[in-house]
Amino acid sequence: IGCDRSKNLVDICGEKNFQALVCDALSVPIRGGSCDACISIAVIHHFSTAERRLATIRELARLLRPGGTALIYVWAMEQEYKNQKSKYLKEKNGSKDKEEEINHGMAQKPLSDQMPDSSSQGSACPGRLLSDLKDKSSGAKPVADSRLPVHTNRTSFHSQDLLVPWHLKGGTKKQGGSVDAVLSPAGSKESPQLSPVFHRYYHVFCEGELEAVCRSLDCVRVQKSYYDQGNWCVVLEKL
């Protein structure tokens, strides 16, 4: 059984005779303890607070029967890991269509971004995790400038919380989206085509962050934690 926030995507599943429904990952309309396995690919990194990301994993665990397992994939801050670039970075010089799709590597979902090389990973993320814990214990202070950076596709990440441009094909302006002008070749008499660009929120996960969130739940056990093509991945077992 599949679920998604997009009715159009769910309708496509229905046309292919798959079982799918529209729902919110924070409140899945399926009886608790009824699933042998659950898969969450490229979803949790779209939730904007630590509390909501934790609640999503808790909801995933609720669906599992005792002994059931869940697989979670989230976008990694570390797009260059152990001296190897992710597929996301390697495709920087690929076709424009590939760049606009923002391929996920494993699951054909919008996904993956950047990060400093592995030599700087140690200072980039653990410090952020530590500061988050301090903020929760002492009370978070107001942020003077809450604007998010806009990511450059197919490059390394420089922030954990950011907006990733999504380029829609075609020249028709979509409601709610900004519009970039795609210039015609030099000397052409054609007028520029308008290509809508939407900005989607991502929280890219540092090494150990997803596993730490999962371990904070006493109803699951982390069976496996690993890195895969620019994603941090965890396999959970329901206790």
Side-chain angles (χ1 to χ4, degrees):
I1 301 175
C3 57
D4 199 281
R5 282 301 295 261
S6 169
K7 180 182 182 300
N8 289 343
L9 291 179
V10 169
D11 287 345
I12 291 173
C13 291
E15 292 168 1
K16 297 178 180 294
N17 296 318
F18 295 127
Q19 298 184 74
L21 54 94
V22 177
C23 79
D24 187 327
L26 289 168
S27 182
V28 180
I30 295 176
R31 186 178 69 251
S34 61
C35 298
D36 296 310
C38 294
I39 300 174
S40 174
I41 304 291
V43 174
I44 296 173
H45 55 219
H46 287 298
F47 287 93
S48 60
T49 67
E51 291 77 13
R52 287 167 68 82
R53 293 189 286 271
L54 175 61
T56 308
I57 297 174
R58 183 182 290 113
E59 177 70 353
L60 195 66
R62 180 189 69 81
L63 301 174
L64 293 171
R65 63 166 176 78
T69 56
L71 171 65
I72 301 173
Y73 264 62
V74 295
W75 218 354
M77 179 84 170
E78 300 87 344
Q79 289 299 302
E80 188 168 339
Y81 187 69
K82 294 184 178 179
N83 297 320
Q84 294 290 326
K85 289 185 177 181
S86 68
K87 183 179 179 181
Y88 177 73
L89 292 185
K90 288 179 180 178
E91 289 183 350
K92 182 175 182 179
N93 296 322
S95 70
K96 182 179 178 182
D97 287 346
K98 283 187 177 180
E99 182 171 339
E100 290 179 349
E101 286 173 2
I102 309 183
N103 234 339
H104 180 317
M106 168 198 166
Q108 301 300 315
K109 284 269 190 176
L111 206 57
S112 280
D113 272 85
Q114 66 188 46
M115 147 119 196
D117 61 54
S118 57
S119 64
S120 61
Q121 290 170 13
S123 60
C125 294
R128 168 64 182 269
L129 293 174
L130 183 59
S131 65
D132 285 348
L133 292 174
K134 288 181 178 179
D135 286 343
K136 289 182 180 179
S137 62
S138 60
K141 296 181 180 180
V143 178
D145 186 355
S146 59
R147 291 177 297 178
L148 293 172
V150 177
H151 174 62
T152 300
N153 287 338
R154 305 296 171 183
T155 66
S156 293
F157 295 117
H158 303 291
S159 173
Q160 277 194 274
D161 298 283
L162 69 168
L163 299 175
V164 177
W166 180 269
H167 301 259
L168 293 185
K169 297 179 181 179
T172 304
K173 182 177 180 180
K174 302 289 186 179
Q175 183 177 1
S178 61
V179 176
D180 286 356
V182 179
L183 300 179
S184 300
S188 171
K189 294 182 180 180
E190 297 179 7
S191 59
Q193 293 182 331
L194 297 179
S195 178
V197 179
F198 294 86
H199 294 93
R200 300 177 304 155
Y201 170 84
Y202 281 83
H203 171 84
V204 290
F205 282 69
C206 288
E207 182 174 8
E209 183 179 357
L210 176 62
E211 184 176 352
V213 175
C214 293
R215 291 190 185 280
S216 70
L217 297 175
D218 57 10
C219 59
V220 296
R221 177 177 67 88
V222 175
Q223 282 189 338
K224 187 178 181 182
S225 179
Y226 60 98
Y227 179 90
D228 180 25
Q229 284 294 339
N231 303 286
W232 286 114
C233 322
V234 162
V235 178
L236 301 176
E237 179 185 2
K238 177 71 172 288
L239 300 177

